[in-house]
């Protein structure tokens, strides 16, 4: 399958479709992650707030969203959040293109680092991010848990 998706910045009117993409893309993790992924709770209102806190990029073809990624500028880095590609469109390089859009935005904002979080349980994701140049920054622990539940990874641009 040839990818013809265009990457563009999300607009507020995308919020409902973004929330749907997040829920569908993260459905495979339902019941597999402890704590459960909050992606299942991303309503249009929540997505609208997240867009206001930073922004997002979408992969779109003919008005249909195939994937998305959110970003949040911080004092010393840009946080890459909720990279999601619908299962039918995986394996076409969309995740990489979406990440590159966030990295380009970080550079535009004058940041030289991008950070993201990935669950400890998703070891295949750790390897994929490492291949994209992301390395260990720190461990993180979800509220209510005694030991780490995720890794924070960082890439220097």
């Amino acid at each position: 399958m040839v990818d013809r998706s265009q990457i563009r910045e999300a607009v507020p009117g995308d919020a409902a479709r973004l929330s749907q993409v997040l829920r569908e893309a993260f459905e495979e993790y339902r019941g597999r992650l402890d704590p459960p992924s909050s992606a299942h709770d991303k309503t249009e209102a929540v997505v609208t707030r997240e867009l206001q806190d930073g922004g997002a990029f979408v992969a779109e073809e003919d008005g249909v969203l195939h994937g998305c990624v959110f970003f949040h500028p911080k004092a010393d880095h840009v946080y890459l959040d909720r990279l999601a590609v619908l299962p039918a469109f995986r394996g076409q390089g969309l995740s990489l293109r979406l990440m590159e859009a966030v990295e380009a935005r970080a550079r535009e904002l004058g940041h030289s680092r991008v950070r993201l979080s990935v669950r400890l349980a998703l070891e295949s994701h750790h390897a994929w991010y490492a291949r994209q140049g992301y390395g260990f920054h720190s461990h993180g622990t979800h509220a209510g848990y005694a030991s780490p539940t995720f890794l924070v990874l960082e890439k220097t641009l």
Side-chain angles (χ1 to χ4, degrees):
M1 187 184 308
V2 176
D3 170 44
R4 294 187 305 270
S5 296
Q6 299 297 311
I7 305 298
R8 67 166 175 82
E9 190 155 2
V11 297
D14 292 323
R17 293 189 304 158
L18 284 165
S19 67
Q20 181 180 359
V21 167
L22 289 171
R23 288 191 307 272
E24 289 179 26
F26 280 80
E27 184 58 32
E28 69 187 275
Y29 303 115
R30 189 180 297 278
R32 289 182 48 205
L33 297 176
D34 183 30
S37 174
S38 64
H40 307 296
D41 303 323
K42 298 294 183 185
T43 63
E44 183 177 350
V46 170
V47 169
T48 297
R49 283 193 301 275
E50 290 189 2
L51 289 173
Q52 293 168 347
D53 180 55
F57 290 100
V58 299
E60 177 183 59
E61 181 182 352
D62 297 327
V64 177
L65 297 189
H66 295 172
C68 61
V69 64
F70 289 78
F71 62 90
H72 304 281
K74 304 295 182 184
D76 64 345
H77 67 281
V78 169
Y79 184 73
L80 184 150
D81 193 24
R82 297 280 175 223
L83 177 61
V85 174
L86 294 174
F89 301 98
R90 292 179 184 160
Q92 301 175 37
L94 288 180
S95 291
L96 185 56
R97 290 176 59 209
L98 288 163
M99 287 182 69
E100 288 170 346
V102 171
E103 292 168 2
R105 178 56 51 87
R107 286 184 195 95
E108 290 169 9
L109 295 172
H111 290 293
S112 61
R113 293 180 292 181
V114 174
R115 290 185 191 150
L116 58 86
S117 298
V118 60
R119 295 295 185 99
L120 288 175
L122 300 176
E123 293 181 11
S124 65
H125 291 48
H126 304 175
W128 187 85
Y129 286 120
R131 289 192 302 274
Q132 311 318 316
Y134 286 80
F136 178 80
H137 176 270
S138 58
H139 285 99
T141 306
H142 285 87
Y145 287 75
S147 58
T149 53
F150 62 92
L151 298 174
V152 177
L153 304 179
E154 181 177 83
K155 179 176 182 176
T156 300
L157 304 175

